[in-house]
Amino acid sequence: MTSTMTKTQAELAAEDPYLWLEERNGKEALDWVHRQNAVTVAELQGDPSYQGAFETALDLMTAEDNIPVGAALAGHVYNFWQDKTNALGLWRRTTVASYKTDKPEWETIIDFDQLSAKEGVKWVFGGASRLYPDFDRCLLYMSPDGGDASEMREFDIATKSFVADGFRAPASKSGFSWLDKDTVIVSAAFEEGDKTQSGYPRVIKLWRRGTKLEDAGPIFEGEKQHLAVGGGVEFDGDKRHVLLGKTIDFFTSHSFLRLASGENRRVPLPDDATDTAIFKGQLVFGVRSPWTAPDGTRCLPDGLYSVDFDRWIETGTFGPFETLLEPAHRVSFAGLARTQDRLFINLMDNVRGKVVVCDRTDKGWSLKPVGLPDNGNVGISHAEHFGSSVSFSFTDFLTPSSIIWSDDDAEMLQTVKSQPARFDASPYISEQFEARSRDGTMIPYFVVRRRDQTGPAPALLYGYGGFEVPLLPGYAGIRGRLWLDKGNAYVQANIRGGGEFGPAWHQAALKGKRQNAFDDFAAVAEDVVRRGITTAVQLGIQGGSNGGLLTGVSLTQRPDLFGAVIIDVPLLDMLRYTELPPGASWIAEYGDPSKPEEAAWLGAYSPYQHVAADAAYPPVLLMTSTADDRVHPGHARKMAARLQAACHGRTMFFEETEGGHGGRGDRRPQAAQTAMRYVFLQRALSTGPKSGSRFSENPVLD
């Protein structure tokens, strides 16, 4: 008989009894969702502890003393703000001087609750592209449901109104940026011919004011199989560069400079160049794999390099390459940002943050560390491209976030915002350990627990492990109040596949090596049990998106290691993920199930295909969103249905009808989901199965 991993996608689809649940808005599928939601809401929101947990989560999410994180531009700090009164939020601004005070005087630009009430659409703010050099006009993004697809409208900040007969485009995954006040660069994803196979823009067009969007002329195209294209204007001092990009997949791309002649000249960097910036005539870049530059310079991952960009524009050839920053053991890049006169490099050193400030003179590069706190998560909050203001964030698991501000390129630093403590951190300790994975690799992880813990306690293990995304220490008041304060522990695993230690750490779990990430996570789980921090029956796990795949695999491969599993907005059917848009965009990460060799490794771990009727699975909670247009809700729906059909009645499912992949929009449903997760964990890990509930062994059939 043909094995699951060697069948074609058509054969798999024909055999899939839950294919109908992939119909995002199909009546039968939504009826199933509503029945599932009713059971889960009754069970979890009916728990006596739910209401208090919900109120705590909502209070903290919408607290008026939360830090208003903002970015400075032309004398103002812009901020998006949500609280209990402003559920959909305010886009607002204040002066830099006022921002530094305890009570800034905010000027509302757009009230999205008022706009939504007026237009009958729950608009979710998605950002704005402002027009140089006055920054008084913007191209405003608004999502009608919290998903990635957004409507664009031209907006006048000075008059606080949409521009009559201005630029406007319907909701899509297109991108827009200003070329000048009468021309917009459109990365188009409207019609099928405009889209890549992943549903993202394939064609870049120039749209002139006063003309129809459909009449915009193409200037650049990618291939159907590419991930996306994008374009915009980059300023380096008074020089303006029009840059166009062709993203081949998640980790490779081609960049082009559009010349005055209309020629699109490719910038001859390696396909996997990363961390690029243009600064004082220099093109700064890193690489994901070793590359020998034309002059013989050896460029290595986790290093940073530069070359004379102005010379290349004039001559078409690169001159000498320079090493800006040498690679170092377990040090990797978290990002680059620049002000008008300085370049800032955000680094991670053994999963702890630091920032280096760089200058460029006739003598070359000069570097020095920014005097920020040690042993925590340090990030660059903003860097004013056309000025000299820059701000940094600092936090760790037990230290509330703060904003450290400078108006002079980090010469003088001032803490201007500090979030109040949301729980008493004095009884707790944050520790970093290492676990030995199956292949011998040492995997770092953090544990936050009570200092006086003398025996095993319920613990929540969180992981991600994909797409070069690092998991860094961070303060979470809700976690403190609803989890730590109940005597529980929190564990955060820095498994391979993430970006904690640069490209090599990610590549060690790429495609056919994915099992390494799952083994790493299991190794951390075993290690916290071995150390006596928790026991297997007291250990819950949680992950979202790619982390949802991680927890789904952990459920099916090692159910003995865990007492509860939360699977959020997940990928779970890895043999059909490319058929659920925009799944094809992740082939560079996971592999292509249409190719037999790659289907073999995908099928070896794909959770949906590995649900077993005779397995002793712990309680499971799957959560997703109907409006999620990044990871299709069909993954979570089908997994829940298959688990329940296999008589695993301790499986619960909940689907929010709005909010998209990241849960954007109204905080109330976000608070409700958060409270339900903690109620689920507390019940599963602190008490035994309850008769007649989904924590019992009796399945609830639909």
Side-chain angles (χ1 to χ4, degrees), residues 82-133:
Q82 291 173 280
D83 56 28
K84 288 183 179 178
T85 303
N86 304 284
L88 293 175
L90 305 172
W91 189 36
R92 59 187 190 171
R93 69 179 183 179
T94 187
T95 64
V96 172
S98 180
Y99 179 76
K100 295 178 183 179
T101 66
D102 291 338
K103 295 183 178 180
E105 296 180 1
W106 293 100
E107 170 193 2
T108 298
I109 302 171
I110 300 180
D111 183 325
F112 283 94
D113 292 275
Q114 289 184 5
L115 178 65
S116 297
K118 177 181 177 182
E119 298 191 354
V121 178
K122 293 184 71 173
W123 291 116
V124 176
F125 181 50
S129 171
R130 275 152 285 188
L131 177 61
Y132 174 88

Side-chain angles (χ1 to χ4, degrees), residues 417-436:
K417 303 291 176 190
S418 295
Q419 181 178 314
R422 301 308 191 193
F423 62 97
D424 180 7
S426 61
Y428 305 106
I429 187 172
S430 174
E431 303 164 287
Q432 189 178 31
F433 299 108
E434 286 188 323
R436 186 179 300 277

Side-chain angles (χ1 to χ4, degrees), residues 110 135 209 227 281 309 360 432 548 576 625 661 670 679 684:
I110 300 180
F135 308 110
R209 187 177 297 280
L227 174 57
F309 193 58
R360 175 78 185 184
Q432 189 178 31
R576 273 188 58 77
S625 167
H661 188 62
Q670 296 174 40
V679 169

Side-chain angles (χ1 to χ4, degrees), residues 220-240:
F220 187 81
E221 295 189 14
E223 302 298 327
K224 191 74 174 178
Q225 70 272 19
H226 291 163
L227 174 57
V229 299
V233 174
E234 178 79 11
F235 287 90
D236 184 21
D238 58 359
K239 297 174 183 176
R240 188 184 75 160

